[in-house]
Amino acid sequence: MTIALVTGATQGLGLALAEGLARRLTPSDTVYLTGRDITKITAAAESVPGGGAVVRGELFDVADPGSAAKLAKQIEERHGGIDVVFGNAVMRVGPDDDPREIIDEYTQVNNFGTTRLLRAFAPLLNDNGRLLVVASSLGTLHHLAPVLHELFTAPSSLDEIDRQIARWRDATKQGRTKAGAWPGFVNIPSKIGQVAAVRVLANQRRHSDGQRGILVASVCPGMINTPTSALWWDVSTAPTPAQAATALLDLALGPVEPGHYGELIRHGEVVPFS
C-alpha cells in the first residue's frame, strides 16, 4: 500500500501531480489531495478519474503554523507512515503586486510553509519514500549577489534557514532591497530559500536515507503554460501542467539515482546550486 500527499493540489501542477499519482498507483493506495479551500478541494478530488488510487481530499493550509504537524499526526495514526510527499503549495505573484504588501503572506506560504512541511513529514517517510519540494531553476545562487551566498550555504538547520528568510522578508517590508543586494523579484530569494532548506535537511538525513532508499530533493518542473506564468512570460508553447508533471512523477515513483539526493532536479538532471 502506497500513501502519497500533494500540497497545493486543487489546480495546475498540483492537481496534475495528484491525478498522475492516482493513475499510476492502484486501488489499494491513497493519494491525499490537499489545499486550503474545502470547496475547491472537494471539486478537485471529484474531478480525478477513477480506476486508480483512492483520492482523498484533505484541508491543509501550509501557511497555518500548526497545520503540517496536525496532518502529519493524522496520517501517521491512519497509515503508520507515508511514501510520497510533493510540496507544491505556492502563493503566486503578478507584476503589479507590491512586494512590501505581499511579502508576509508570501513567505508564510512558500518558505515557512516549506520548512514546516519538511519538519512534519520527513520523520514519517517509509523505506523507499520520496519527499520532493517543487521549486525552480531560479533557486540557485547564480541568481543571487555573491555577498548573499553565505546566508544560504552556511546554515546547518531549518531554523537557520528560517532566520535568513525572515531577514530578507524584513528588508523587503522596509523597502531596503532596492538599495541593497537583494534582487527585486521576490521569486528568486524565495526559491533559493526552498532549495537551501531541502539541502540542509538532506545533509542531516543523508546517511540513514541512503540506507533506506529514501530520496529527499527539490524539483524544477520547468516553464508551464498557466495563467499566472502568462502574466510574466510568453508561455504559449510551454508544456501543460499534465505534461510538466511527468518528469516529477517519474522521480517520485521510479528508482532512486543516488546523485539526485539533496539536489535540485530538472528533467532528471541535477541543477547545480552554486
Side-chain angles (χ1 to χ4, degrees):
M1 180 175 65
T2 297
I3 307 300
L5 178 144
V6 184
T7 69
T10 60
Q11 62 181 336
L13 180 64
L15 180 55
L17 289 170
E19 290 176 341
L21 286 167
R23 184 176 63 253
R24 296 193 187 195
L25 297 175
T26 72
S28 64
D29 305 321
T30 300
V31 176
Y32 282 87
L33 185 158
T34 75
R36 60 180 180 176
D37 183 319
I38 192 62
T39 301
K40 292 181 179 179
I41 294 166
T42 301
E46 291 177 349
S47 75
V48 177
V54 174
V55 176
R56 181 168 179 167
E58 196 80 43
L59 191 66
F60 181 14
D61 181 359
V62 300
D64 177 351
S67 189
K70 179 181 178 181
L71 182 56
K73 182 178 179 180
Q74 291 173 339
I75 289 178
E76 183 178 24
E77 291 172 349
R78 293 169 188 165
H79 308 288
I82 197 162
D83 301 285
V84 178
V85 178
F86 273 112
N88 175 71
V90 62
M91 175 185 168
R92 295 171 174 84
V93 295
D96 296 331
D97 290 319
D98 184 342
R100 293 171 297 180
E101 295 179 358
I102 58 92
I103 195 65
D104 274 324
E105 184 181 3
Y106 189 80
T107 51
Q108 277 298 330
V109 174
N110 296 11
N111 293 100
F112 303 127
T114 294
T115 52
R116 286 191 285 262
L117 182 81
L118 294 175
R119 291 187 185 96
F121 284 93
L124 295 190
L125 288 171
N126 294 324
D127 289 354
N128 302 308
R130 308 286 190 270
L131 176 50
L132 304 173
V133 171
V134 178
S136 165
S137 297
L138 291 176
T140 65
L141 297 180
H142 170 73
H143 299 283
L144 196 67
V147 69
L148 298 174
H149 287 191
E150 190 175 1
L151 301 181
F152 297 101
T153 57
S156 58
S157 71
L158 293 177
D159 286 346
E160 290 177 45
I161 292 292
D162 283 348
R163 282 193 286 272
Q164 299 305 341
I165 292 298
R167 175 180 176 181
W168 162 61
R169 176 202 62 199
D170 293 345
T172 301
K173 289 171 66 174
Q174 296 163 15
R176 292 189 283 111
T177 54
K178 291 184 178 179
W182 291 106
F185 186 30
V186 294
N187 212 22
I188 293 175
S190 178
K191 295 302 183 185
I192 291 171
Q194 286 182 304
V195 174
V198 171
R199 292 174 64 85
V200 163
L201 179 71
N203 284 336
Q204 295 173 341
R205 296 173 53 93
R206 185 177 301 273
H207 179 68
S208 61
D209 282 354
Q211 293 180 323
R212 297 174 59 205
I214 290 173
L215 176 63
V216 174
S218 47
V219 292
C220 172
M223 189 68 72
I224 307 175
N225 190 339
T226 66
T228 302
S229 295
L231 295 174
W232 295 93
W233 304 285
D234 178 6
V235 294
S236 57
T237 60
T240 65
Q243 291 169 333
T246 299
L248 277 60
L249 293 166
D250 291 344
L251 195 66
L253 300 176
V256 170
E257 167 58 53
H260 288 170
Y261 189 85
E263 301 291 348
L264 173 62
I265 310 302
R266 176 174 178 170
H267 303 316
E269 301 293 333
V270 172
V271 179
F273 187 55
S274 59

